[in-house]
Amino acid sequence: MDMKTELKICQSCGMPMQEDQYGTNQDGSKNEMYCCYCYKEGAFAQDCTMEEMADFCAPFEVEGGRSKTIEEAKAGLMQYFATLGRWKA
C-alpha cells in the first residue's frame, strides 16, 4: 500500500472512503470531502438535517456491530457528525 494513501472520511456521513467512493463536483471531477452517496455533481444528494442523517445511518451502525441499539447509534452519530465539515456550526 502506498504510504501517501490516507483514508478520507466523508464530511457528511462519516464513511471512510477510498478514491472510487469520492463524490463528484459539477464539472465531474472528484470531490475528496464527500462520498458518492452524499455528494453528486456538485450538490448534496439529500437535503437533510444532521438529525435526519443520523436517523438514516443508525441502522448501519447496529448492523455493523458498532452499536447495540438504534438509540445508542443515533446518540453517538449526533456527537460524531457535529465534528464533520457539513454539520459544523
Side-chain angles (χ1 to χ4, degrees), residues 4-62:
K4 286 186 298 188
T5 304
E6 62 180 88
L7 204 58
K8 300 221 184 274
I9 303 294
C10 176
Q11 294 298 301
S12 176
C13 72
M15 181 180 89
M17 305 180 292
Q18 294 177 326
E19 197 170 339
D20 63 345
Q21 295 168 313
Y22 291 168
T24 53
N25 295 312
Q26 215 168 359
D27 63 6
S29 63
K30 297 272 184 206
N31 184 300
E32 296 183 21
M33 274 191 68
Y34 303 110
C35 75
C36 57
Y37 305 109
C38 288
Y39 202 74
K40 295 178 172 125
E41 298 170 7
F44 287 108
Q46 297 91 18
D47 180 23
C48 63
T49 65
M50 184 172 84
E51 189 167 0
E52 288 167 338
M53 180 64 80
D55 283 336
F56 177 78
C57 294
F60 298 112
E61 293 297 297
V62 174

Side-chain angles (χ1 to χ4, degrees), residues 2 30 37 52 62-63 67 76-77 86:
D2 187 349
K30 297 272 184 206
Y37 305 109
E52 288 167 338
V62 174
E63 196 177 290
S67 296
L77 288 167
R86 181 178 183 184

Side-chain angles (χ1 to χ4, degrees), residues 60-73:
F60 298 112
E61 293 297 297
V62 174
E63 196 177 290
R66 293 177 291 276
S67 296
K68 286 184 173 57
T69 66
I70 294 288
E71 293 73 25
E72 177 188 298

